[in-house]
Amino acid sequence: DLTRSLSDSLLKFSAKVVLENDNLWFCPTCQGLRCAVKRVVFSNVPEVLIIQLNRWSVKPANPTQFCKNDAKIKIMNHETVSVVVDPEISFSQRLRPMSAICHTGSFDRGHYYTYSRHGDSWYKFNDSAVCKVPGNLAYFSSKDPYVVFLRKV
């Protein structure tokens, strides 16, 4: 199962990455390639945080072609997620998903639609059609979200 929660995706985004072997860091001081550790943390979090999910990768056999990452992202209706603001003091900010822009299709063509929250209800906006996501649906899971809007709790 390729499904990942939004919380898991954000944790992976802020995880430490060791730069080594073919992915060394260039040190501007010594002008050389060095092993290093990088990590994305937020110095502060705006009222609305917009995250673009990495949904595309280069095909190993042909670096001029892209393929879509079909891992599903599960966005809970009443989920709150956390992002690391200051890892030194383990401070995190709780956020609530408000909207997701989705894309179906391939790298060079496709269709866009949106899920957005209004109060405690979710709606799907697809061209001129707007429909309420059933109230008993605890989450929506899709391989199509690529931009997610989160609001501070």
Side-chain angles (χ1 to χ4, degrees):
D1 183 18
L2 296 175
T3 302
R4 177 179 288 139
S5 73
L6 184 57
S7 293
D8 289 343
S9 296
L10 288 172
L11 283 173
K12 185 177 179 184
F13 176 73
S14 61
K16 291 180 182 177
V17 176
V18 177
L19 303 176
E20 59 187 354
N21 302 325
D22 292 340
N23 190 23
L24 294 170
W25 173 69
F26 178 77
C27 174
T29 305
C30 70
Q31 299 292 307
L33 295 174
R34 301 283 180 249
C35 289
V37 176
K38 75 173 184 175
R39 182 173 188 193
V40 175
V41 295
F42 297 89
S43 58
N44 59 32
V45 179
E47 189 64 30
V48 176
L49 179 65
I50 303 168
I51 300 286
Q52 180 177 347
L53 302 171
N54 184 7
R55 305 304 282 169
W56 306 99
S57 59
V58 176
K59 289 185 178 180
N62 187 349
T64 62
Q65 289 188 326
F66 291 86
C67 55
K68 188 169 183 180
N69 172 354
D70 284 332
K72 288 185 177 181
I73 300 293
K74 183 189 291 187
I75 300 177
M76 306 298 288
N77 277 351
H78 300 288
E79 176 178 32
T80 55
V81 298
S82 294
V83 294
V84 176
V85 178
D86 188 341
E88 300 299 319
I89 58 173
S90 298
F91 176 73
S92 64
Q93 175 66 54
R94 290 170 33 103
L95 302 160
R96 185 176 187 197
M98 297 304 294
S99 188
I101 300 172
C102 301
H103 176 267
T104 58
S106 62
F107 178 72
D108 58 349
R109 65 183 66 88
H111 178 73
Y112 294 91
Y113 62 96
T114 302
Y115 286 101
S116 289
R117 178 194 302 274
H118 180 70
D120 284 334
S121 299
W122 281 88
Y123 294 85
K124 183 178 180 180
F125 296 82
N126 192 354
D127 291 337
S128 61
V130 178
C131 61
K132 185 175 181 179
V133 175
N136 60 352
L137 187 66
Y139 64 90
F140 64 88
S141 179
S142 172
K143 61 185 175 61
D144 300 330
Y146 81 100
V147 178
V148 179
F149 296 77
L150 304 129
R151 182 179 297 277
K152 280 184 178 179
V153 176

